[in-house]
Amino acid sequence: MRFEGTSDYVATEDLTVAVNAAVTLERPLLVKGEPGTGKTELARQVATSLGLPIIEWHIKSTTRAQQGLYEYDAVSRLRDSQLGDERVHDVKNYIRKGKLWEAFVSQGKSVLLIDEIDKADIEFPNDLLQELDRMEFFVYETGETIRAATRPIVIITSNNEKELPDAFLRRCFFHYIRFPDMDVMKQIVEVHFPGIKQQLLTTALTQFYEIREQQGLKKKPSTSEVLDWLKLLLVEDLPPEDLRRDGASALPKLHGALLKNEQDVALFERLAFMARRQR
């Protein structure tokens, strides 16, 4: 069972090595990287490549670790007892299974995605240590232990919004997805827009990387944003020469796809103003 990438996802050699190492070690794969570098999509493509079902747990700031195991709906049980509902006699009717429970009892191997773990409270990763280590947990309300018959492939993503605890990091295989260079980005674009004209692609990507490297930029445009931008350029059928910027127009064409806040737009407007004054 080896991941080699898919026709829809360009995986670099070091990324495929990381995925396969995590699978071999039976450790969670912790993937970090800039937003838009394909961390979440990686889990889906690993599942597709290996022919496995995927279970996705998307973390929010209010998510608690217990929700990944199960939740006991005591309020519904109390209401049903007041109404004389026969369901009240079986506590299992009020246990809501979480994503880890789903993965543990899945028929055969599965891929479990824990997406953006750094959004949750700082204690969230520590609260899952034992369950991810032992692949089991105890349900107090029913007195049963849920064990994983087959250990799932666990992929955890983080945008580095918070530092993760050392005890949690020790249990993971770590990989940082670096932002793609020009050659890799061309491969990614070719997957999404096969047959795109090379002159347009080279001109657009050259401008894109110049924008990313601009000093003072608050939010660098990501892979997903350059794909949106290229889609617009193709729809508008703009020739490469129309993309070239000069001092009078420092903002790129259709810049709303790349620049996502007023500070960055103002930065390029100031650059254009300064360039005009120097003429």
Side-chain angles (χ1 to χ4, degrees), residues 29-264:
L29 174 63
L30 174 61
V31 184
K32 291 187 179 182
E34 288 184 34
T37 48
K39 300 184 297 296
T40 302
E41 187 61 24
L42 170 66
R44 296 168 182 155
Q45 294 300 325
V46 168
T48 299
S49 173
L50 302 180
L52 302 176
I54 184 168
I55 297 166
E56 301 187 17
W57 186 16
H58 299 283
I59 307 304
K60 302 177 182 178
S61 59
T62 55
T63 303
R64 295 175 294 107
Q66 180 64 34
Q67 291 172 312
L69 307 178
Y70 70 93
E71 289 185 281
Y72 170 52
D73 192 352
V75 174
S76 291
R77 193 179 190 192
L78 175 61
R79 184 187 62 240
D80 287 350
S81 68
Q82 293 169 340
L83 296 173
D85 195 318
E86 287 299 317
R87 296 173 72 250
V88 75
H89 299 297
D90 188 352
V91 69
K92 290 183 178 179
N93 291 322
Y94 304 94
I95 300 292
R96 290 203 295 261
K97 298 176 181 178
K99 297 297 183 180
L100 266 73
W101 189 325
E102 288 182 34
F104 286 7
V105 299
S106 174
Q107 294 294 319
K109 209 169 187 65
S110 63
V111 175
L112 171 64
L113 167 65
I114 304 177
D115 196 31
E116 298 190 330
I117 194 171
D118 51 323
K119 280 188 175 180
D121 183 86
I122 189 62
E123 290 304 317
F124 179 93
N126 278 338
D127 290 343
L128 289 177
L129 285 180
Q130 180 170 311
E131 288 75 17
L132 290 176
D133 249 359
R134 298 184 180 179
M135 285 290 154
E136 66 177 43
F137 62 89
F138 185 71
V139 183
Y140 292 94
E141 289 77 7
T142 63
E144 61 183 325
T145 298
I146 305 301
R147 291 187 181 88
T150 306
R151 182 179 285 265
I153 297 171
V154 182
I155 297 179
I156 303 169
T157 72
S158 169
N159 288 326
N160 252 352
E161 291 182 11
K162 293 190 187 88
E163 286 295 323
L164 298 174
D166 289 345
F168 178 79
L169 294 175
R170 281 197 300 272
R171 289 164 168 81
C172 298
F173 190 92
F174 172 76
H175 182 74
Y176 183 86
I177 297 182
R178 300 186 184 280
F179 196 82
D181 60 22
M182 178 82 83
D183 290 338
V184 174
M185 186 64 81
K186 284 184 175 180
Q187 295 176 47
I188 293 171
V189 172
E190 187 64 34
V191 167
H192 293 269
F193 307 109
I196 187 172
K197 293 179 181 177
Q198 288 304 303
Q199 188 179 357
L200 172 65
L201 178 58
T202 300
T203 303
L205 289 185
T206 299
Q207 189 171 136
F208 169 71
Y209 281 100
E210 287 174 354
I211 292 168
R212 274 186 56 88
E213 292 166 8
Q214 177 60 52
Q215 293 293 319
L217 202 63
K218 184 176 181 182
K219 182 192 178 303
K220 294 182 179 183
S222 67
T223 305
S224 59
E225 287 157 343
V226 75
L227 292 174
D228 286 345
W229 186 50
L230 284 167
K231 183 177 181 179
L232 290 173
L233 297 180
L234 291 171
V235 168
E236 295 292 329
D237 197 23
L238 292 175
E241 51 270 20
D242 281 1
L243 296 184
R244 296 193 180 94
R245 296 179 295 158
D246 53 33
S249 57
L251 281 170
K253 299 284 185 183
L254 301 166
H255 63 269
L258 297 175
L259 303 176
K260 297 301 177 76
N261 59 68
E262 61 276 17
Q263 294 97 319
D264 289 343

